[in-house]
Structure formats: C-alpha cells, structure tokens
Amino acid sequence: MSVESPYETPKSSLIDVLHDDICRNGRYVVIRPDVEWPSRCFKCNEDTILKKEVKLTYINPWIYLSILINVLITIILALIFRKKFTVDLPLCERHVKRRKNFLIFQWTMVAVITAGIIIGSLTELTFFLGISMLVLLMVLVSAIFGRLAFAAKYKNEYIWVTGAGKEFLKSLPEFVA
Ligand SMILES: [Zn+2]
C-alpha cells in the first residue's frame, strides 16, 4: 500500500506536455515566448535538466523584398522591425557538447580565415586569400544551417521555432489556430 506524496516531483515527463502553450505545427514548435519549455532535449527528446539560453530573432520575410530596392534599406528595416526573443532551450548533455564542439570548430575556422588573409596580404599570394574566402563562405553557410533554433514566424504572440528533433515534435500536441 502506498500513498503518493503531493510533494513529490512528478516522475513522468508527460506531465509537462499536457498544456497547450507549447505545440507543434509541422516541423515547427509553436510556443509563446514566456512559456517554460518541457524538461526534454529539444533535439532528441531525452529527459534533461540542462537549458541553453538562445536568442531568436524574427524578421518578417516581406522585409527581404526591399533588397530589390536597396540592401541598406533592408538592413535598416530589419533592425527596426525585428523581434527578439530569448528562450531557454532544453538540451541533453550530448547535444550541449555537440553545440560546444560546433562553436569551437567555427572559431577555429575564423582563426584560419584571419591567418589566411594576413599571410595572403603580406606575401601577396592570392592563393591564401582565395582559400580564406572559401573557408569564410563555409563558415557562413554552416552558421546558418547549424543554428540550434530559428524563429520562422511570429503571429498572435506565438513564435514558430524550427530546429527541433522529430521525437521532441512528436511529443507535443498539434497546434490549433
Ligand atoms: Zn539531446
């Protein structure tokens, strides 16, 4: 015979997916910025207590159209109308480590680029400059695609966040608009 203590923390992580403040919509997690995330890894759905502070910036896609007029206008509009959110993304130890390694890789590449540009301009060997530009492009592309999470949409106080793992998405209730 056992009596459940009300002071005991719930063992099942299912408890924290029962509210509708965090849902899924296709490959997006739909969440209000002020809502606390469940204690499961955003990438692999493993139980975790680790959280990583991530800044999400949302820029209305229409703003990108102004690039046809002038890039400077696009930048100014983006700076004025962007919305910034800070979320505490739950990540397991493995994914925190993976994230750290990725950032170390990125910064190493930035060091390689800087060295390449310096050597290239000192020795006037365009080979080094060429390689630097190539690596720079790789770093930019990997920075865009390697992002942990990204705000794809902001509507009615909900943000649509991309980057979540399949299992994590599956555990969330379907978003009803
Ligand atoms: Zn994980």
Side-chain angles (χ1 to χ4, degrees):
M1 197 176 91
S2 75
V3 180
E4 256 184 78
S5 158
Y7 302 108
E8 237 172 87
T9 47
K11 285 183 183 67
S12 166
S13 56
L14 276 174
I15 298 288
D16 54 20
V17 299
L18 289 177
H19 57 79
D20 283 351
D21 294 331
I22 173 165
C23 304
R24 79 186 136 102
N25 186 210
R27 63 193 179 94
Y28 304 106
V29 172
V30 185
I31 190 168
R32 281 213 324 270
D34 55 334
V35 164
E36 204 181 317
W37 289 69
S39 311
R40 285 175 289 107
C41 177
F42 177 69
K43 292 290 179 191
C44 67
N45 205 34
E46 223 169 80
D47 284 327
T48 182
I49 48 158
L50 302 173
K51 299 257 163 108
K52 176 101 184 72
E53 196 184 276
V54 178
K55 286 189 172 55
L56 301 174
T57 306
Y58 170 69
I59 295 164
N60 193 310
W62 287 103
I63 288 176
Y64 292 119
L65 267 186
S66 63
I67 218 162
L68 298 172
I69 309 166
N70 191 317
V71 180
L72 204 63
I73 293 176
T74 311
I75 295 171
I76 292 167
L77 287 177
L79 286 176
I80 296 172
F81 294 107
R82 72 186 160 163
K83 289 199 185 305
K84 277 174 141 189
F85 309 99
T86 305
V87 293
D88 284 321
L89 270 194
L91 283 178
C92 69
E93 219 166 299
R94 194 161 52 96
H95 277 105
V96 167
K97 206 174 273 175
R98 205 180 275 190
R99 179 74 198 157
K100 217 175 267 173
N101 290 341
F102 176 72
L103 292 178
I104 291 171
F105 166 78
Q106 288 259 318
W107 282 109
T108 311
M109 287 301 117
V110 169
V112 169
I113 294 163
T114 315
I117 291 173
I118 293 170
I119 295 170
S121 41
L122 287 180
T123 59
E124 283 176 16
L125 289 172
T126 44
F127 167 76
F128 282 102
L129 290 175
I131 291 288
S132 302
M133 289 307 129
L134 200 69
V135 179
L136 179 66
L137 199 68
M138 274 164 51
V139 169
L140 287 176
V141 171
S142 72
I144 292 168
F145 289 99
R147 271 180 306 194
L148 210 52
F150 168 69
K153 185 172 159 185
Y154 177 68
K155 200 183 167 191
N156 300 336
E157 286 175 38
Y158 280 91
I159 33 175
W160 268 250
V161 184
T162 64
K166 271 193 190 130
E167 292 303 314
F168 184 81
L169 283 168
K170 254 193 242 168
S171 71
L172 304 174
E174 191 69 49
F175 177 73
V176 185

